[in-house]
């Protein structure tokens, strides 16, 4: 190696569409190195344009495997922060004399559709929590009513009055 280069960064905004057709944008930073200047000069007049086509292809494949509910619930760090998620970009860079070293997901920029989906999910969660609270309150009220009803029956049986049906005695001790 006659020329050694330091790691460089390429920061870009990439559009993505989820499997349920919700668009959004991710801000990514890739770190890379030049491996072979000869390959770079011989392979392409515009290597960055080739990187873009690889990145766009990877974003389409990633989007097909991610639903908007996953984006809202778990985010994308686990998916977008690994080089395994960008095989086409890696291949394009390798073919142009570069080596992709790392990727960082900096930010997810929600589209109006994703914002709307987020608000709907939050509203459903709030409504579900409200319904659960009402159901719990109703169940507690039913249990209290059942206990009260049970106590009333017990009190009738244990009120100290003798009721054998065979005599007029006021208590069991004087029963004939």
């Amino acid at each position: 190696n006659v020329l050694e280069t330091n790691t460089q960064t390429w920061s870009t905004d990439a559009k993505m569409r989820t499997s349920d057709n919700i668009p959004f944008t991710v801000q990514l930073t890739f770190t890379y190195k030049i491996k072979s200047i000869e390959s770079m000069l011989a392979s392409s007049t515009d290597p960055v344009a080739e990187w873009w086509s690889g990145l766009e292809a990877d974003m389409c494949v990633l989007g097909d495997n991610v639903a908007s509910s996953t984006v809202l619930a778990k985010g994308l760090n686990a998916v977008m922060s690994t080089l395994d998620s960008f095989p086409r970009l890696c291949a394009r860079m390798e073919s142009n004399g570069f080596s992709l070293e790392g990727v960082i997901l900096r930010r997810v920029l929600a589209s109006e559709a994703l914002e709307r989906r987020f608000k709907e999910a939050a509203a459903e969660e709030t409504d579900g929590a409200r319904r659960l609270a009402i159901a719990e309150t109703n169940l507690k009220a039913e249990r209290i009513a059942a206990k009260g009803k049970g106590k009333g029956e017990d009190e009738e049986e244990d009120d100290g009055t003798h009721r054998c049906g065979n005599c007029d005695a006021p208590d069991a001790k004087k029963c004939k």
Side-chain angles (χ1 to χ4, degrees):
N1 281 340
V2 176
L3 178 64
E4 181 69 31
T5 62
N6 292 327
T7 302
Q8 302 292 313
T9 60
W10 176 44
S11 294
T12 187
D13 292 355
K15 297 197 182 300
M16 186 171 174
R17 193 170 283 275
T18 61
S19 59
D20 51 345
N21 206 29
I22 301 294
F24 61 95
T25 302
V26 292
Q27 292 180 334
L28 300 165
T29 296
F30 296 97
T31 54
Y32 66 94
K33 279 186 165 183
I34 297 175
K35 277 183 15 181
S36 169
I37 292 178
E38 294 83 14
S39 294
M40 181 186 72
L41 294 173
S43 66
S44 177
T45 57
D46 190 356
V48 176
E50 290 195 35
W51 299 355
W52 259 110
S53 65
L55 178 59
E56 287 174 336
D58 287 332
M59 296 305 287
C60 287
V61 171
L62 286 167
D64 286 344
N65 294 311
V66 175
S68 61
S69 58
T70 302
V71 175
L72 295 172
K74 298 179 182 175
L76 291 171
N77 270 342
V79 175
M80 304 293 282
S81 294
T82 176
L83 292 179
D84 294 337
S85 296
F86 301 96
R88 290 152 198 84
L89 174 60
C90 287
R92 295 289 172 111
M93 292 182 90
E94 291 284 333
S95 71
N96 288 307
F98 295 87
S99 171
L100 188 57
E101 304 288 317
V103 60
I104 298 169
L105 172 63
R106 289 188 335 246
R107 192 170 168 197
V108 175
L109 302 172
S111 64
E112 286 182 23
L114 189 59
E115 289 273 348
R116 189 170 45 254
R117 183 68 53 96
F118 176 76
K119 288 177 183 172
E120 289 169 0
E124 286 176 16
E125 185 176 326
T126 300
D127 187 50
R130 184 185 59 78
R131 287 182 185 195
L132 181 60
I134 290 171
E136 287 175 346
T137 301
N138 289 342
L139 182 60
K140 285 179 184 176
E142 288 173 12
R143 285 182 181 161
I144 289 170
K147 281 183 180 179
K149 191 174 188 182
K151 282 182 181 177
E153 290 171 0
D154 290 346
E155 287 173 6
E156 284 180 18
E157 291 176 14
D158 296 319
D159 66 355
T161 306
H162 174 69
R163 297 186 186 110
C164 73
N166 296 325
C167 68
D168 296 339
D171 60 37
K173 291 178 185 174
K174 296 181 182 176
C175 183
K176 299 178 185 176

